[in-house]
Amino acid sequence: MDTNIAAHRTTAPLAGAKRRMPPEFNIFLVLIGIALVYEILGWLFVGQSFLMNSQRLTIMILQVSVIGIIAVGVTQVIITGGIDLSSGSVVGMTAMISASFAQASTWPRALYPSLTDLPAIVPIGIGVGIGFVAGFINGQLIARTKIPPFIATLGMMVSARGVSKWYTKGQPVSGLTEEFNFIGTGIWPVVVFLVVALIFHIALRYTRYGKFTYAIGANVQAARVSGINVEAHLVKVYAIAGMLAGLAGVVTAARAQTAQAGMGVMYELDAIAATVIGGTSLTGGVGRVTGTVIGTVILGVMTSGFTFLRVDAYYQEIVKGMIIIAAVVADVYRQKGRKKA
């Protein structure tokens, strides 16, 4: 009997520690597992290391930083039980418009010759502001007219892409100032991503904004009865998501040092994939920015790993789609488990 009591006392703290394990821990283990698989396959089929190449890892992180910025906004939308399909098109639209206000006077084909050499804060502010307006329109359509988020943001996706093509009649915008391009050079896109993630991690976990966001996603009627202005808060969430898509558009243009109407194509699906892989539930009420950050890195590792193994791009898309489906199926089973508990 004493032995049983001692065993119980020994295992109880371990069980408690296991219960206190953050939900992102399992996602992080998946990330480590995927990286190790690529490392092994690299030695078997390519004859070199996947993880020990610092240049490859740097490029990988830079490539997913823009997706990560979008995914932080998409995470908040999905937590409310919504969806945002417009973010990729908003990236293209804001990249084009912000770049047109970032052209240098030395460029002979400036879109606005009298508005060249502007301080970088001007085109950055314009890009972020236009993204905010696009998200605000999404929120108004969803909250005020009760249009399903899928339809409202699908309409914005088509419209924003049309604006990006119409704005310069399909011509690229080049000749950007060095001051504007600076935000896309070196490690700065990653810094922007991490700062955005930190801000909204704090906002979701420790502020009224976060409490309202989770409450709406968990039970919109209960949130309304408790005094939350659901419509106003939804508008705020979608406006923030649009603002972050606008910021991603600015970073995209600065990284490429040019802007094209086709920028951001399919970015919305990558952002949704990163969010869902990171543990955010498509049914709403569950999700964390930290999980989204890990999910974004997982996408980056997968894409970089496929390229490293010389896997055809078509197969990459097929596998990515399968992983999204698997993540959603896993979420469905997690929700069933919570209901049973």
Side-chain angles (χ1 to χ4, degrees):
M1 181 177 177
D2 291 341
T3 306
N4 292 337
I5 293 173
H8 175 74
R9 288 175 179 172
T10 303
T11 56
L14 294 176
K18 187 175 181 180
R19 283 195 298 270
R20 288 193 297 270
M21 197 68 70
E24 295 85 0
F25 181 73
N26 290 335
I27 306 168
F28 182 73
L29 290 180
V30 171
L31 170 61
I32 298 298
I34 292 173
L36 290 177
V37 167
Y38 280 127
E39 178 71 12
I40 295 169
L41 293 176
W43 285 113
L44 289 176
F45 297 105
V46 185
Q48 57 180 283
S49 173
F50 173 71
L51 295 174
M52 295 297 109
N53 188 318
S54 59
Q55 184 179 5
R56 180 183 299 110
L57 296 179
T58 301
I59 293 173
M60 177 191 73
I61 297 298
L62 286 172
Q63 286 176 337
V64 300
S65 57
V66 170
I67 299 298
I69 295 170
I70 301 170
V72 171
V74 170
T75 297
Q76 298 170 67
V77 168
I78 294 179
I79 288 174
T80 66
I83 198 73
D84 187 357
L85 299 178
S86 67
S87 52
S89 295
V90 172
V91 166
M93 177 176 67
T94 54
M96 293 290 288
I97 296 175
S98 63
S100 68
F101 290 94
Q103 290 182 295
S105 57
T106 54
W107 186 250
R109 297 188 301 277
L111 198 62
Y112 302 112
S114 61
L115 295 174
T116 55
D117 293 330
L118 294 174
I121 191 66
V122 175
I124 292 172
I126 289 173
V128 172
I130 290 173
F132 180 88
V133 171
F136 180 82
I137 293 172
N138 280 338
Q140 288 288 345
L141 288 172
I142 293 162
R144 308 301 177 187
T145 68
K146 308 304 179 184
I147 295 175
F150 181 90
I151 300 299
T153 58
L154 179 63
M156 179 58 72
M157 178 182 76
V158 177
S159 298
R161 186 61 65 189
V163 169
S164 66
K165 294 176 181 177
W166 160 83
Y167 189 66
T168 60
K169 303 300 185 288
Q171 298 300 312
V173 180
S174 303
L176 311 185
T177 62
E178 291 184 6
E179 185 183 3
F180 177 80
N181 289 337
F182 179 76
I183 193 176
T185 58
I187 204 71
W188 282 107
V190 180
V191 172
V192 173
F193 168 38
L194 294 178
V195 169
V196 166
L198 177 62
I199 289 171
F200 286 99
H201 170 71
I202 294 171
L204 285 175
R205 289 207 65 182
Y206 304 109
T207 69
R208 181 186 295 183
Y209 169 82
K211 293 177 182 177
F212 286 3
T213 303
Y214 283 108
I216 292 171
N219 190 322
V220 65
Q221 294 302 327
R224 187 173 279 111
V225 169
S226 66
I228 298 174
N229 188 334
V230 173
E231 286 71 25
H233 192 79
L234 284 176
V235 172
K236 189 183 301 182
V237 170
Y238 279 91
I240 288 173
M243 179 185 70
L244 293 178
L247 177 60
V250 170
V251 174
T252 300
R255 275 198 69 203
Q257 300 185 8
T258 185
Q260 299 181 15
M263 283 180 163
V265 173
M266 299 293 286
Y267 279 17
E268 65 277 357
L269 296 185
D270 284 342
I272 292 170
T275 302
V276 175
I277 291 171
T280 300
S281 173
L282 286 172
T283 58
V286 176
R288 290 189 182 186
V289 171
T290 46
T292 297
V293 171
I294 299 173
T296 302
V297 177
I298 287 175
L299 274 186
V301 169
M302 287 173 50
T303 303
S304 180
F306 282 136
T307 304
F308 170 65
L309 295 174
R310 301 181 180 88
V311 175
D312 192 277
Y314 300 115
Y315 295 116
Q316 294 184 30
E317 296 298 327
I318 293 171
V319 173
K320 188 182 294 184
M322 293 171 63
I323 289 173
I324 294 172
I325 294 172
V328 174
V329 170
D331 175 61
V332 170
Y333 280 100
R334 279 199 304 268
Q335 295 302 318
K336 288 182 178 179
R338 289 192 183 103
K339 289 179 181 179
K340 288 180 179 179

